[in-house]
Every structure is written in C-alpha cells, then in structure tokens.
Amino acid sequence: MRVIFIGPPGAGKGTQCKKLVDWLRVPQLSTGVLLRELVGQGTADAKCVGEHLNAGKLVPDHLVMGIVSKRLAEPDCVAGCLFDGFPRTLVQAQLLDEYLGRARQRIDLVLSLQVAEDKLVERLLKRASIENRSDDSSQTIVERLQVFRTQTSPLLDYYYRQGLLVVVDGERPEMEVFEEIKQTVALHASVGEPR
Ligand code: AMP
C-alpha cells in the first residue's frame, strides 16, 4: 500500500501519517524528517539542504529524489510506505512514477488535506513555540505557504487526472480526520495485503 499525503505546512500531514503507520504497519517516508537529519553532516549537500530549509524554500528535486530512492530501496518499504511531504513538485511526481514503474510498484491513493490559510498560520505559529523548529518563523511560514500554492498544488490536478486523489477536510478534530482517512484507505486497498 502506497499513500501520498499532500497538504500545506500545518495541515496535519505528519500527525495523520503517524496514525496511519500504526494502523497499516508500513513505514512513513517523511522527506522533511530525512532532510532535517541530513543538515549538520558537514557535506556540500547538507549545506545546500540547510540553506533551503531555513529559507522555507524547496530543496532541489534531484537531491530529494536521491534521498527518497535510497529509502525506498530498504526492505521495509517493499510492501509499501506512506509518503509525507513528497512529492512536492511535478518533477518529483514524475521521478517517483518512473522509479515505481521500474520497481513494478504503484501509488494506491493520494490524500489532499485541506485547511484554510488563516488556520494554518495559527497552527504553525503554535508549533514554532512548542517544537522550536527553525523553519516555523512567521517570515518562513509565509514563504512556505506561497511555495505550496505555486509549486505543490499543481500536483492535485496531476493525481486527480490519474483517479488517485481524495480530498479530506483537515480542519476537523484530529480523530475525525483520521476516521475518514481510515475509511478512504480501506476502500482503496485490502489493508494488510502487501503490494
Ligand atoms: P516538512 O517537514 O514536510 O514541512 O518539510 C520541511 C522543509 O523541508 C520544507 O519546507 C522544505 O524546505 C524541505 N522539504 C521537505 N520535503 C521536501 C520535498 N519533497 N522537496 C523539497 N523540499 C522538501
């Protein structure tokens, strides 16, 4: 089972993805987490990633795809995984399609978590004070929302055309959102069956 979560920063992708990991028992592949782990390793790539992250900009596609392919090649991803924050551009979506095509694997479902912008800003500022994430400052938040609108939202149409997209109202309480996600996932795949 391969599920992609698409949503602006603060929409609850990470939170919902973690819940689904426990339910489906496939790993979460969060590019945000993998990229933050890379920062501080002292390499040229790590420096590049750090600069993009702190500016709220997207890390170059080839670098992200390199990290994702490495992770997908690990044995625990064979039966599937949940993509949290990837792909974020049309180029990344195409690179992922090519990778999965070669591996004779496919995406089962794309969940679009939708939350109004004023609510997102509220949530992100709250997260900034709790988690102390360097990219949750008010200036970076504006940039990241803009990046989502221009670079990531075209993916919704891309996956809609493939019949994979399901829109979920992410403004409701966490558990209500999760119940809907579980029902949607159950409709799209036989839970527990490796693909
Ligand atoms: P996230 O934890 O998903 O909110 O991601 C945090 C930051 O990591 C983003 O603002 C980007 O700078 C970077 N990032 C995460 N995923 C990607 C991706 N798929 N492509 C490019 N940059 C990414």
Side-chain angles (χ1 to χ4, degrees), residues 6-13 88 113-115 120 124 144-145 148:
I6 298 182
K13 297 186 297 292
R88 259 174 154 106
L113 279 180
Q114 305 213 339
V115 176
L120 292 171
L124 289 166
R144 286 161 66 217
L145 290 173
F148 179 80

Side-chain angles (χ1 to χ4, degrees), residues 110-130:
V110 178
L111 294 169
S112 162
L113 279 180
Q114 305 213 339
V115 176
E117 276 211 7
D118 54 339
K119 295 242 164 50
L120 292 171
V121 174
E122 213 175 277
R123 286 185 186 180
L124 289 166
L125 288 173
K126 202 166 153 198
R127 185 165 84 183
S129 64
I130 297 170

Side-chain angles (χ1 to χ4, degrees), residues 21-193:
V21 159
D22 292 340
W23 194 60
L24 280 178
R25 302 194 179 280
V26 290
Q28 175 177 9
L29 197 162
S30 160
T31 41
V33 170
L34 293 174
L35 289 166
R36 280 190 290 278
E37 278 172 11
L38 196 75
V39 177
Q41 285 186 5
T43 62
D45 279 355
K47 190 166 173 272
C48 169
V49 169
E51 283 167 6
H52 283 81
L53 240 89
N54 286 332
K57 296 197 184 307
L58 292 185
V59 172
D61 292 328
H62 67 276
L63 216 161
V64 178
M65 191 60 210
I67 293 168
V68 170
S69 337
K70 250 194 221 158
R71 183 65 188 92
L72 283 177
E74 287 173 31
D76 62 329
C77 287
V78 173
C81 72
L82 308 181
F83 294 97
D84 166 13
F86 176 88
R88 259 174 154 106
T89 65
L90 280 173
V91 172
Q92 291 180 13
Q94 283 154 359
L95 289 171
L96 178 63
D97 281 348
E98 284 166 23
Y99 179 98
L100 294 178
R102 283 194 300 274
R104 294 176 181 273
Q105 295 170 347
R106 64 185 168 89
I107 295 158
D108 297 277
L109 175 66
V110 178
L111 294 169
S112 162
L113 279 180
Q114 305 213 339
V115 176
E117 276 211 7
D118 54 339
K119 295 242 164 50
L120 292 171
V121 174
E122 213 175 277
R123 286 185 186 180
L124 289 166
L125 288 173
K126 202 166 153 198
R127 185 165 84 183
S129 64
I130 297 170
E131 293 179 19
N132 200 19
R133 256 176 68 161
S134 62
D135 60 346
D136 274 345
S137 68
S138 52
Q139 204 186 338
T140 316
I141 287 170
V142 172
E143 174 67 26
R144 286 161 66 217
L145 290 173
Q146 161 85 353
V147 164
F148 179 80
R149 251 183 270 121
T150 55
Q151 293 180 261
T152 307
S153 64
L155 289 181
L156 300 177
D157 191 48
Y158 180 80
Y159 288 120
Y160 173 75
R161 283 167 192 271
Q162 295 180 36
L164 292 171
L165 187 75
V166 174
V167 173
V168 176
D169 173 3
E171 287 193 17
R172 292 164 306 157
E174 222 171 275
M175 281 318 291
E176 260 182 52
V177 175
F178 184 54
E179 280 309 313
E180 186 179 331
I181 288 178
K182 275 202 304 194
Q183 283 175 18
T184 308
V185 167
L187 273 179
H188 281 76
S190 326
V191 173
E193 246 180 49

